[in-house]
Amino acid sequence: MSDETPICSAKGCRTAAVWVLAWNNPKIHTPERRKTWLACAEHREPLSQFLGVRGFLKDVVPFDTWRAAEDTGEPGESPDG
């Protein structure tokens, strides 16, 4: 993983990400596949709602927890999607 500060996935936002939103589109992804969006505190809820109303949202995890799981070799896709 890069040493660059991860930024929020919301359009036009340049704030540091503190959340990982894990999701998949069941029409095109296998059930275990996880894509990720990153979110700052301000955009966590709107991005979660966007994915949730479509039935795509699977999990919301603090970025540090996601990164720690990635560093220990836990299953999951990298935060950069």
Side-chain angles (χ1 to χ4, degrees), residues 20-37 51 55-59 66 75-81:
V20 175
L21 286 65
W23 63 276
N24 80 1
N25 179 340
K27 290 184 180 180
I28 61 174
H29 301 126
T30 60
E32 65 280 352
R33 173 84 187 267
R34 292 294 179 267
K35 301 288 286 178
T36 56
W37 281 356
L51 293 168
F56 294 176
L57 187 63
K58 302 302 178 192
D59 204 3
W66 186 271
E77 192 168 314
S78 72
D80 13 54

Side-chain angles (χ1 to χ4, degrees), residues 1-79:
M1 171 170 265
S2 166
D3 288 335
E4 290 182 30
T5 301
I7 61 165
C8 181
S9 298
K11 186 175 183 177
C13 186
R14 304 300 298 165
T15 304
V18 292
W19 296 98
V20 175
L21 286 65
W23 63 276
N24 80 1
N25 179 340
K27 290 184 180 180
I28 61 174
H29 301 126
T30 60
E32 65 280 352
R33 173 84 187 267
R34 292 294 179 267
K35 301 288 286 178
T36 56
W37 281 356
L38 303 179
C40 64
E42 179 182 355
H43 291 113
R44 174 190 174 189
E45 190 58 32
L47 290 173
S48 294
Q49 287 178 355
F50 179 88
L51 293 168
V53 299
R54 290 159 178 78
F56 294 176
L57 187 63
K58 302 302 178 192
D59 204 3
V60 178
V61 180
F63 181 81
D64 291 340
T65 302
W66 186 271
R67 178 178 273 175
E70 183 181 69
D71 289 346
T72 61
E74 300 264 335
E77 192 168 314
S78 72

